[in-house]
Amino acid sequence: MAEQFQSAIESSMDKTNLILKDIEQAYGWPKEQRNQSYAALRTVLHLLRDRMPVQESVEFSAQLPVVVRGIYFDGWQPQNVPIKLNRDDFLYEVRQGFPYDVAGGPQRVVQVVLDTLRRHITQGEWEDVKATMPTDLARIMP
């Protein structure tokens, strides 16, 4: 049983590192900037999560690696969702939660993280997530 647990955690860490590496590669960041890729992932995940209805949020999270799922649910208050955010509000909140100045600003951060997440989520689930977003926000989703 302990071996299964260790294997599951190692697999989740590998998948989490792959997601972070995908973000880093999109920006050309070295691994030493892992704190930036983590901050980008965490910020966008939390805003996406808080914008979705509870049931859809839970269904989406089921496809995330266990470690990323922990990041996703950290601080979640399901009684307060969905929070109404249009595209501009979403980008403003990304800027507030992501303290780094990067090329392309908050919109590029969102695009990179969403592109990365899209590659790790089934098409059907991704379409369900997009369907919960306001039109102006759904348009920037891959």
Side-chain angles (χ1 to χ4, degrees):
M1 187 62 117
E3 289 176 12
Q4 288 176 331
F5 173 76
Q6 184 175 356
S7 177
I9 294 300
E10 287 174 2
S11 174
S12 180
M13 284 303 301
D14 290 345
K15 291 174 184 174
T16 299
N17 283 322
L18 180 60
I19 290 170
L20 293 171
K21 185 178 177 183
D22 286 351
I23 294 168
E24 291 158 4
Q25 286 181 334
Y27 272 106
W29 295 336
K31 186 177 180 181
E32 292 74 32
Q33 288 180 275
R34 177 69 37 110
N35 56 332
Q36 285 183 216
S37 56
Y38 168 77
L41 177 64
R42 183 178 191 280
T43 298
V44 173
L45 274 175
H46 283 188
L47 288 167
L48 197 62
R49 168 201 76 192
D50 290 345
R51 184 61 190 84
M52 284 189 270
V54 171
Q55 184 62 36
E56 186 55 44
S57 189
V58 171
E59 290 171 10
F60 171 75
S61 74
Q63 295 194 15
L64 300 172
V66 172
V67 173
V68 176
R69 197 175 315 145
I71 295 165
Y72 181 78
F73 282 120
D74 183 44
W76 191 40
Q77 297 178 343
Q79 70 277 10
N80 296 333
V81 299
I83 296 172
K84 301 298 181 194
L85 293 172
N86 62 29
R87 178 187 169 277
D88 292 338
D89 295 335
F90 195 93
L91 294 174
Y92 174 80
E93 292 298 328
V94 168
R95 184 65 192 124
Q96 298 308 303
F98 182 75
Y100 303 96
D101 288 323
V102 295
Q107 185 160 339
R108 175 82 172 125
V109 171
V110 170
Q111 197 63 57
V112 165
V113 172
L114 293 179
D115 285 346
T116 299
L117 290 172
R118 172 59 203 102
R119 289 191 298 274
H120 296 273
I121 303 297
T122 64
Q123 181 67 31
E125 184 56 39
W126 194 252
E127 292 302 321
D128 289 349
V129 169
K130 282 177 69 171
T132 69
M133 298 295 139
T135 304
D136 65 338
L137 188 53
R139 271 190 289 230
I140 67 171
M141 296 179 73

